[in-house]
Amino acid sequence: AARPSRRLCAMAQPKVLMTKEPAPQTVPASDLPEKVYEVALNTGPDSSSGLATAGFRTAKYLPDEWFQSNSNLYHKALAGCEQAERGRAEAKELADHAAATAQRTQQDSTATVGQRLKDIHFWKSELQKEIEDLEAETGLLAAQKLRLERALNATEMPYAIVTDNLQCRERRQPPDLVSDEVERELLKEAELIRNVQELLKRTLMQAVNQMRLNRDHKEACEMDWSDKVETYNIDDKCGRYSNQSTNIQFHPSSVKFEESASTPETWAKFSHDNIYKAELEKTASINLRALIDNILHDVSEDLRMQCAAVNEAFAKRCEQLDDAKHKLEYHLRRVLKEIGDKEASIAALKQAIKDKEAPMKVAQTRLYDRSFRPNVELCRDEAQFRLINEVEELTETIESLKKKLLESEESLRNLEDTRMDLEKEIAVKTNSLFIDRQKCMAHRNHYPALLKLAGYQ
């Protein structure tokens, strides 16, 4: 009764595939020795060896043969049961070994998938950190780019001012139309502004290119990160599979390696290279931001220093013009006073000449009347000589007065020319002062502040 139950237990065991040969039996199996039965010969009176029984021998067995046949069946059944029992034991041992092996292999696979998840999480975290750093760095570089654009726009006002100053000073009149210190400083300022604009444009283009490189490497890291997120989810789902999962099935074609599959070394190197390149671009971006900050600081300082130099040159030039104008006005006042005095002197000379007409008439009339003295009375007496001397003296005096009058009139004309020159020069100085002070310096009051030139406003 125990044997059927053992067969039922053996039938209830699950069928599993063996991964290796079962362990050998400790006691080797062997066949049972055959029993030898001695059959008695029919030699008695009832023996069928005679002719009378010769026809019945082929259809019947002897009792010993019947016992021998039963014994053989018993022996065969016993041997079969023992072999079946050994097979059941071997099958159970094989099933237990297969179950333990499958469980151990599955645990190893699960542990390997778990380790792989850790590796993926590590690189995913590194990529995410690099993406965040690149995004933050790109934002900071964009702020510096905005400063560059503001600084470049801010240079338009100084360039317009210096251009207007140069054009306004071209309207100066000779002899004030000179290449003075102000003009040299203005030309230097114009050249400086053009150089600054070129530098800012080149730096702005460099910042745009660096931002594009930052975005390209950020996109590469994001693609790698996205692939690792998807891979992490797949491996996480694979790690959660168990024998009790309901969504597992056979996939015989999956047991192979894809031709395009990467190796762990190339897989890690790919992410490492992406992070390394991103780090290089981030470092380049940081250096470029520092360079932009230094450029904007130096540019704003240079522009303000040159602006101060131009303003100082304008101030000195205006002081020179004021001084020259005051001196011209002083000399003009003196010339005007001298002209007035000279006109009075000329009037006095004319009056003096006119006053000599009466004495000349008297003397000449006396000489004329005395020329009518009769005969010997027409004498060259003392009176005659004195009258002649008087006429000569008056003539010389009148000639001297007329000569002096001519000199005074010439001097007056010279004074008038000087006055006109002084007035013209004063007008020129006034015009130059108006251009330098009212036009140029007033326009330069709109020069951008240092913060605006540095791109902060």
Side-chain angles (χ1 to χ4, degrees), residues 147-190:
R147 284 186 61 196
L148 282 173
E149 293 173 347
R150 289 175 177 173
L152 183 60
N153 293 332
T155 58
E156 296 297 330
M157 177 63 73
Y159 191 72
I161 290 174
V162 69
T163 304
D164 180 73
N165 289 163
L166 290 170
Q167 292 175 352
C168 286
R169 298 190 94 240
E170 289 296 324
R171 296 196 292 269
R172 292 176 297 168
Q173 299 173 358
D176 281 3
L177 190 60
V178 296
S179 179
D180 53 4
E181 184 66 23
V182 177
E183 185 171 348
R184 288 191 290 272
E185 291 295 337
L186 285 173
L187 292 174
K188 188 187 297 183
E189 184 179 34

Side-chain angles (χ1 to χ4, degrees), residues 5-116:
S5 62
R6 285 197 297 270
R7 284 196 298 269
L8 290 175
C9 291
M11 291 174 64
Q13 295 293 329
K15 295 182 179 180
V16 293
L17 296 177
M18 294 180 61
T19 58
K20 63 181 181 179
E21 293 294 328
Q25 296 291 329
T26 56
V27 179
S30 61
D31 295 334
L32 295 175
E34 295 183 359
K35 294 182 178 181
V36 180
Y37 298 91
E38 295 180 358
V39 181
L41 297 178
N42 293 329
T43 58
D46 296 328
S47 175
S48 59
S49 59
L51 294 175
T53 60
F56 298 96
R57 179 70 182 86
T58 58
K60 294 181 180 180
Y61 293 94
L62 296 177
D64 292 334
E65 292 177 343
W66 179 79
F67 283 111
Q68 182 66 37
S69 176
N70 288 336
S71 178
N72 290 337
L73 287 176
Y74 299 154
H75 179 71
K76 182 178 180 181
L78 181 60
C81 288
E82 290 178 352
Q83 185 177 2
E85 187 175 0
R86 286 195 303 272
R88 284 190 296 104
E90 292 174 358
K92 183 177 184 304
E93 183 181 0
L94 180 60
D96 292 342
H97 177 74
T101 302
Q103 183 179 4
R104 184 175 62 255
T105 305
Q106 189 178 84
Q107 289 176 352
D108 292 342
S109 299
T110 304
T112 305
V113 171
Q115 182 60 41
R116 184 63 174 173

Side-chain angles (χ1 to χ4, degrees), residues 401-416:
L401 289 173
K402 287 183 177 180
K403 183 179 180 181
K404 196 63 173 177
L405 179 61
L406 291 176
E407 292 178 358
S408 297
E409 288 177 348
E410 181 67 22
S411 177
L412 180 60
R413 285 192 295 272
N414 292 335
L415 287 174
E416 290 291 342

Side-chain angles (χ1 to χ4, degrees), residues 177-355:
L177 190 60
V178 296
S179 179
D180 53 4
E181 184 66 23
V182 177
E183 185 171 348
R184 288 191 290 272
E185 291 295 337
L186 285 173
L187 292 174
K188 188 187 297 183
E189 184 179 34
E191 183 67 20
L192 174 64
I193 293 174
R194 284 193 293 268
N195 293 337
V196 165
Q197 288 177 341
E198 291 298 324
L199 176 61
L200 292 179
K201 288 178 182 178
R202 290 197 304 270
T203 309
L204 183 61
M205 186 61 65
Q206 189 175 356
V208 171
N209 293 334
Q210 186 61 51
M211 290 177 64
R212 179 180 56 80
L213 291 174
N214 288 353
R215 292 193 181 100
D216 291 344
H217 286 81
K218 175 174 171 287
E219 289 177 1
C221 290
E222 286 175 342
M223 289 292 294
D224 194 1
W225 177 85
S226 177
D227 292 342
K228 281 180 172 49
V229 169
E230 184 176 358
T231 304
Y232 186 89
N233 293 332
I234 292 173
D235 284 354
D236 182 63
K237 181 176 68 173
C238 292
R240 296 178 187 275
Y241 283 144
S242 64
N243 295 334
Q244 288 75 32
S245 299
T246 59
N247 54 345
I248 56 176
Q249 56 185 342
F250 290 106
H251 296 281
S253 61
S254 64
V255 188
K256 64 178 180 179
F257 287 108
E258 298 292 338
E259 294 181 357
S260 60
S262 61
T263 63
E265 291 76 14
T266 58
W267 173 81
K269 186 177 183 300
F270 181 77
S271 297
H272 178 271
D273 290 344
N274 285 334
I275 293 175
Y276 178 72
K277 293 176 182 177
E279 282 289 335
L280 290 179
E281 295 303 329
K282 184 175 72 173
T283 303
S285 180
I286 292 173
N287 295 334
L288 181 59
R289 282 196 299 109
L291 177 63
I292 291 173
D293 192 66
N294 293 332
I295 287 175
L296 290 176
H297 178 269
D298 295 341
V299 161
S300 59
E301 287 291 337
D302 291 343
L303 289 176
R304 289 303 303 179
M305 287 177 62
Q306 184 60 33
C307 176
V310 173
N311 291 339
E312 184 179 358
F314 264 117
K316 290 181 179 179
R317 185 60 178 169
C318 289
E319 288 179 1
Q320 294 173 355
L321 290 172
D322 278 332
D323 182 65
K325 181 172 176 290
H326 291 327
K327 290 180 179 179
L328 289 171
E329 289 173 348
Y330 169 74
H331 287 289
L332 178 61
R333 288 193 297 270
R334 290 191 61 185
V335 168
L336 290 175
K337 181 178 180 302
E338 189 62 32
I339 288 175
D341 294 342
K342 185 61 70 174
E343 287 176 347
S345 175
I346 290 173
L349 286 173
K350 289 180 179 180
Q351 186 63 40
I353 293 172
K354 188 177 182 180
D355 290 343

